Amino acid sequence: MSTVVGKPIRRVEDKRFITGQGRYTDDIKLHGMTYAVIIRSPYAHARIKSIDASAALKIKGVVAVFTGKDIEADGMGGIPTGWQVNLINGETMREPKHPILCTDKVRHVGDGVAVVIAEDLAIAEDAAELVQVNYEPLPAVAQVRDALAANAPKVHDELPDNLAFDWNIGDKEKTDAAFATAHHVTTLEFYNQRLVPNAIEPRSAIGHYEEGRDFYTLYTSTQNPHLIRLLMSAFVLQLPEHKVRVVGSDVGGGFGSKIFHYAEEALVTWASKKIKRPIKWTAARSESFVTDAHGRDHQTTVSMAFDKDGKILGLRGHTIAGMGAYLSTFAPAVPTYLHGTLLQGLYTTPAIYYKVDAVFTHTTAVDAYRGAGRPEATYLLERLMDTAAREMKIDPAELRFKNFIPPFDGVTQPGYQTQVALQYDSGNYAPTLHKALEIIDYKNFRKRQEEARKNGKFIGIGFSTFVEACGIAPSAVVGSLGARAGLYESAIVRVQPTGKVSVYTGSHSHGQGHETTFAQIVADSFGIPMEDVEIVHGDTEQIPFGMGTYGSRSLAVGGSAIMKSIDKIKEKGAKIAAHLLEANEADLVFAEGKWTVKGTDKSIPFQQVALTAYVPHNYPAGLEPGLDFSSFYDPLNFTFPFGAHIAEVEVEAETGEVKVTRYVSVDDVGTIINPMIVEGQLHGGIAQGIGQALYEGAFYDESGQLLQGTYMDYTMPRADNLPMFEHSTTVTPCPHNPLGAKGAGEAGTIASTPTIVNAIVDALSHLGVSNLEMPCTPARVWSAIQTAKGN
């Protein structure tokens, strides 16, 4: 009988956060701590002629200054990518070296060239100003649309051009044939703009070398400590993993940007051995803007073909995807395995072909940002659907209903095989849209819209129905597609002699609420209070291995690993209980925290079994003492949550300002462990997606200078920009994991961006506006209105 699963229990970890008791990397103080400041290039592309640190080294309190040549002399490697995508012609992906500190050239604004280490931060900052770097500026290419031009400046001289790799998916011949028979074709061209992650906690890293035991500890604000240890130890510093500990304690948000192995982590770890003291580096906010991996950066042209009844016949398109100056950890996966494979959407599209060119530019690296490829896929699909509906004079909801994949549960019916490699696990898509339409009162909206237009007000409604893939899987298939590590998860569940439980999970929490949801699962399974459950994460010394948190994987993959260990504990516990009760193990049932002999009142509580496991005076012969199990869970497939989002907006005709007046979301994330946390995740995601649609964007000028390098220029959504979100759910369990759970952390971001843009276009459609570039700022919207009016 469930006691806490499915309940909206407040997050237990929040008490320490809201009372200032969180322990973030920058809060850590070690004996003998020094502080690092990195000297960064002001140029997007330049040759380093010389570096003179003599004046800085004369400053009292300066401990050391290192350059890339010092690192090179020690034989250190570059920062690797963790995913390989070979070219269509079979050529190996082009992965130029990403140096810890540059030695010959800089390739984007913010590229590191030297590090100053001092007794305190102020001294380090002052000394950094005295380091003289002589640059020879060179021409740069900053826009993805220009990267493959014949005369484009090369980002890496050793490569023939700026192509990192190209990739395709689908059946080109079949798709071209479908288009040849089409009654109607809708085509869109747009730029899915760069975004800066802007986690509330800037990245921070502390390297600590202990000479006495020749041991390294890296404290870092990361989403996956074990992956950082693997990449840094094996590929960069060439250290045995057992000599390296990585700790990611409390982390203040990540949104994907703290998945990756960054140069600063390797730098402070390496340098700490050189000076035999701990070194702390924490990014300034302006530093984060040019060094944290950005998101999106897709230039896309895409078309959808329909028959005369509005049924989709085919989809084809081409994206030039920006990688930035270097290949970040998961960057090659984003426009390929996480984007191209989601182009089926919720629709029965029988033919799909898509090509991607991934290019280098003289800009900050691009990698996974909340949604990672799936928002870009959903954006193009849902903009096409609303645009096509308008062009064919079909209601946008009706067009979606016409093309939805029929219901399937993955148990009594097989999963749905898409045209783009994936097989969906379970889905029932129409009810989410029906429910959203009912909540927003769609049947009366057009009447209200017409009345508003008569009164000079422009209101619009936008739709997005989506599916996403969460918890990248399975490891064997993912490995064949280029991943350099498995994508399973681990968990140790240790029952203490008193019946209290410690869970050591390879998943990492940086805002998701793992200490609550994982504790709910354990408490519910063992029939014990949540207060008796401890969740431990983020430390490679305590958890043997884990893959961290990204891609909305924690509950479906990490939670399932916990369930595997729980099942092992129950199985062993039943042997102990059967011995104590002098009963047959097969005659026992476990419920409400005790093992009971069926049909009797004879029972023994969980706590007594736990004590017996560690004090085995009356114990089954041949059974090993203890009650502690480790498990790895390797998912058979992704999970595929889905939903329908609808927004109403009002556009101020005189200024172009957009106000979101209503936002309705109906999401299906499978079995829900904690509705409050799920709703919070969705709210945050919706806000971020609205941020992209209306406010956010990182743009470079032709010389490679970032034009939005501070919060004075980069607009973030605020609470007063957003309405109260109206949220509901349907439940279609995942058939292949023990919890029936699907991901929830990215759904809001994936759906909300096209929902808002579709609503704005709908508001202005009577003027002839059919497309808008993001972000839909007042200036852009006003300009579109004026152009439509012929002004």
Side-chain angles (χ1 to χ4, degrees), residues 465-482:
T465 50
F466 73 98
V467 65
E468 65 153 323
C470 301
I472 304 173
S475 291
V477 173
V478 172
S480 72
L481 293 168

Side-chain angles (χ1 to χ4, degrees), residues 325-559:
Y326 306 104
L327 291 178
S328 182
T329 305
F330 282 145
V334 175
T336 56
Y337 193 59
L338 299 179
H339 172 69
T341 57
L342 267 295
L343 293 174
Q344 186 84 45
L346 303 178
Y347 311 118
T348 56
T349 310
I352 299 172
Y353 178 76
Y354 211 82
K355 183 174 185 290
V356 174
D357 292 314
V359 298
F360 294 113
T361 56
H362 290 105
T363 59
T364 300
V366 176
D367 209 319
Y369 172 72
R370 199 168 190 173
R374 290 99 82 204
E376 297 92 317
T378 298
Y379 186 81
L380 72 84
L381 286 172
E382 295 309 295
R383 285 290 296 119
L384 280 169
M385 290 298 282
D386 265 34
T387 303
R390 189 168 296 109
E391 290 174 352
M392 294 188 292
K393 296 181 172 52
I394 300 174
D395 181 89
E398 181 189 345
L399 186 62
R400 287 171 168 85
F401 284 126
K402 275 178 181 285
N403 288 284
F404 277 154
I405 295 165
F408 58 102
D409 61 16
V411 179
T412 59
Q413 310 104 332
Y416 183 83
Q417 181 59 52
T418 73
Q419 302 296 315
V420 279
L422 299 183
Q423 185 179 73
Y424 295 164
D425 57 354
S426 59
N428 189 10
Y429 306 132
T432 60
L433 183 54
H434 279 301
K435 199 169 188 179
L437 291 169
E438 182 181 346
I439 294 169
I440 209 159
D441 190 26
Y442 182 59
K443 64 184 179 184
N444 292 314
F445 174 78
R446 293 303 177 191
K447 189 184 301 181
R448 289 193 291 113
Q449 185 182 48
E450 194 60 39
E451 289 298 317
R453 286 173 176 172
K454 289 177 183 176
N455 295 322
K457 289 186 175 182
F458 300 159
I459 66 171
I461 193 164
F463 298 82
S464 177
T465 50
F466 73 98
V467 65
E468 65 153 323
C470 301
I472 304 173
S475 291
V477 173
V478 172
S480 72
L481 293 168
R484 293 178 178 174
L487 293 164
Y488 46 78
E489 197 47 86
S490 72
I492 297 171
V493 177
R494 179 172 299 151
V495 181
Q496 310 291 356
T498 58
K500 306 297 191 282
V501 179
S502 297
V503 177
Y504 301 85
T505 173
S507 298
H508 187 278
S509 182
H510 46 279
Q512 291 85 355
H514 293 172
E515 292 173 43
T516 305
T517 50
F518 286 171
Q520 285 179 262
I521 293 168
V522 175
D524 199 78
S525 297
F526 292 142
I528 61 176
M530 279 184 62
E531 295 76 15
D532 287 358
V533 182
E534 171 195 32
I535 306 296
V536 180
H537 67 92
D539 187 341
T540 62
E541 198 160 73
Q542 296 194 68
I543 296 101
F545 205 82
M547 293 306 298
T549 292
Y550 47 85
S552 302
R553 72 190 298 271
S554 295
L555 187 61
V557 185

Side-chain angles (χ1 to χ4, degrees), residues 597-655:
V597 180
K598 296 175 189 174
T600 76
D601 59 358
K602 291 178 62 179
S603 66
I604 191 165
F606 177 78
Q607 291 79 3
Q608 186 176 341
V609 167
L611 182 61
T612 304
Y614 290 95
V615 188
H617 299 313
N618 180 15
Y619 203 68
L623 187 65
E624 186 178 343
L627 206 51
D628 178 331
F629 282 99
S630 175
S631 298
F632 283 78
Y633 177 75
D634 193 0
L636 297 172
N637 193 2
F638 289 86
T639 68
F640 294 90
F642 56 90
H645 289 212
I646 305 177
E648 287 188 25
V649 302
E650 183 175 330
V651 179
E652 173 55 57
E654 298 303 315
T655 65

Side-chain angles (χ1 to χ4, degrees), residues 599-791:
T600 76
D601 59 358
K602 291 178 62 179
S603 66
I604 191 165
F606 177 78
Q607 291 79 3
Q608 186 176 341
V609 167
L611 182 61
T612 304
Y614 290 95
V615 188
H617 299 313
N618 180 15
Y619 203 68
L623 187 65
E624 186 178 343
L627 206 51
D628 178 331
F629 282 99
S630 175
S631 298
F632 283 78
Y633 177 75
D634 193 0
L636 297 172
N637 193 2
F638 289 86
T639 68
F640 294 90
F642 56 90
H645 289 212
I646 305 177
E648 287 188 25
V649 302
E650 183 175 330
V651 179
E652 173 55 57
E654 298 303 315
T655 65
E657 183 179 2
V658 176
K659 181 179 180 182
V660 183
T661 55
R662 287 189 73 185
Y663 196 100
V664 170
S665 65
V666 179
D667 290 275
D668 194 313
V669 298
T671 302
I672 296 173
I673 305 299
N674 187 316
M676 184 184 296
I677 288 179
V678 167
E679 191 165 345
Q681 287 285 307
L682 290 164
H683 284 191
I686 291 167
Q688 278 186 277
I690 292 174
Q692 178 173 10
L694 297 180
Y695 308 111
E696 299 183 52
F699 298 91
Y700 288 87
D701 68 14
E702 293 306 310
S703 69
Q705 292 294 326
L706 180 63
L707 300 177
Q708 293 80 20
T710 71
Y711 287 139
M712 293 292 289
D713 308 296
Y714 190 97
T715 307
M716 300 279 284
R718 304 179 308 184
D720 62 353
N721 299 133
L722 306 170
M724 293 297 291
F725 300 137
E726 302 167 65
H727 175 65
S728 188
T729 59
T730 62
V731 177
T732 308
C734 172
H736 62 74
N737 71 53
L739 293 168
K742 302 187 179 189
E746 295 164 295
T749 309
I750 290 165
S752 58
T753 305
T755 304
I756 297 299
V757 176
N758 281 338
I760 300 167
V761 172
D762 182 68
L764 305 178
S765 60
H766 65 297
L767 302 176
V769 174
S770 60
N771 198 18
L772 286 165
E773 287 286 356
M774 296 186 293
C776 299
T777 60
R780 280 183 168 168
V781 175
W782 181 86
S783 178
I785 293 170
Q786 299 308 307
T787 300
K789 289 181 175 179
N791 296 336

Side-chain angles (χ1 to χ4, degrees), residues 128-459:
E129 294 288 334
L130 299 176
V131 176
Q132 299 296 311
V133 184
N134 182 16
Y135 296 98
E136 178 190 337
L138 299 168
V141 59
Q143 316 303 331
V144 293
R145 64 176 180 271
D146 301 328
L148 295 177
N151 61 347
K154 286 202 288 187
V155 180
H156 297 278
D157 293 335
E158 67 271 29
L159 300 184
D161 52 37
N162 289 323
L163 184 71
F165 59 87
D166 58 4
W167 180 87
N168 62 4
I169 195 166
D171 187 328
K172 186 176 188 302
E173 192 173 304
K174 182 180 177 183
T175 304
D176 287 345
F179 271 79
T181 65
H183 176 76
H184 178 85
V185 174
T186 292
T187 299
L188 285 174
E189 184 174 350
F190 56 84
Y191 177 56
N192 204 307
Q193 80 272 29
R194 275 181 179 247
L195 301 172
V196 178
N198 285 307
I200 195 169
E201 176 211 21
R203 285 191 300 113
S204 183
I206 300 169
H208 182 203
Y209 174 72
E210 298 172 72
E211 188 174 17
R213 59 183 186 135
D214 188 29
F215 191 84
Y216 300 80
T217 300
L218 170 67
Y219 302 89
T220 181
S221 46
T222 181
Q223 296 176 218
N224 46 7
H226 290 88
L227 185 61
I228 302 305
R229 184 181 66 173
L230 171 64
L231 294 176
M232 185 176 74
S233 299
F235 295 96
V236 187
L237 303 184
Q238 287 95 49
L239 297 170
E241 282 183 83
H242 69 275
K243 289 289 186 180
V244 180
R245 176 191 182 195
V246 176
V247 181
S249 47
D250 289 331
V251 174
F255 313 119
S257 70
K258 293 176 183 172
I259 300 171
F260 325 121
H261 179 31
Y262 286 96
E264 296 86 3
E265 294 167 324
L267 177 59
V268 296
T269 305
W270 168 83
S272 69
K273 183 175 182 179
K274 304 296 284 187
I275 69 168
K276 308 274 191 300
R277 292 173 64 182
I279 304 168
K280 178 189 286 184
W281 168 83
T282 300
R285 182 59 68 179
S286 57
E287 202 173 7
S288 295
F289 269 85
V290 295
T291 62
D292 290 5
H294 293 175
R296 316 297 189 244
D297 200 20
H298 283 195
Q299 184 70 48
T300 293
T301 302
V302 64
S303 299
M304 187 175 275
F306 297 85
D307 69 13
K308 61 182 176 58
D309 298 317
K311 288 284 288 180
I312 302 170
L313 297 176
L315 174 80
R316 65 185 176 194
H318 175 232
T319 286
I320 306 174
M323 297 287 100
Y326 306 104
L327 291 178
S328 182
T329 305
F330 282 145
V334 175
T336 56
Y337 193 59
L338 299 179
H339 172 69
T341 57
L342 267 295
L343 293 174
Q344 186 84 45
L346 303 178
Y347 311 118
T348 56
T349 310
I352 299 172
Y353 178 76
Y354 211 82
K355 183 174 185 290
V356 174
D357 292 314
V359 298
F360 294 113
T361 56
H362 290 105
T363 59
T364 300
V366 176
D367 209 319
Y369 172 72
R370 199 168 190 173
R374 290 99 82 204
E376 297 92 317
T378 298
Y379 186 81
L380 72 84
L381 286 172
E382 295 309 295
R383 285 290 296 119
L384 280 169
M385 290 298 282
D386 265 34
T387 303
R390 189 168 296 109
E391 290 174 352
M392 294 188 292
K393 296 181 172 52
I394 300 174
D395 181 89
E398 181 189 345
L399 186 62
R400 287 171 168 85
F401 284 126
K402 275 178 181 285
N403 288 284
F404 277 154
I405 295 165
F408 58 102
D409 61 16
V411 179
T412 59
Q413 310 104 332
Y416 183 83
Q417 181 59 52
T418 73
Q419 302 296 315
V420 279
L422 299 183
Q423 185 179 73
Y424 295 164
D425 57 354
S426 59
N428 189 10
Y429 306 132
T432 60
L433 183 54
H434 279 301
K435 199 169 188 179
L437 291 169
E438 182 181 346
I439 294 169
I440 209 159
D441 190 26
Y442 182 59
K443 64 184 179 184
N444 292 314
F445 174 78
R446 293 303 177 191
K447 189 184 301 181
R448 289 193 291 113
Q449 185 182 48
E450 194 60 39
E451 289 298 317
R453 286 173 176 172
K454 289 177 183 176
N455 295 322
K457 289 186 175 182
F458 300 159
I459 66 171

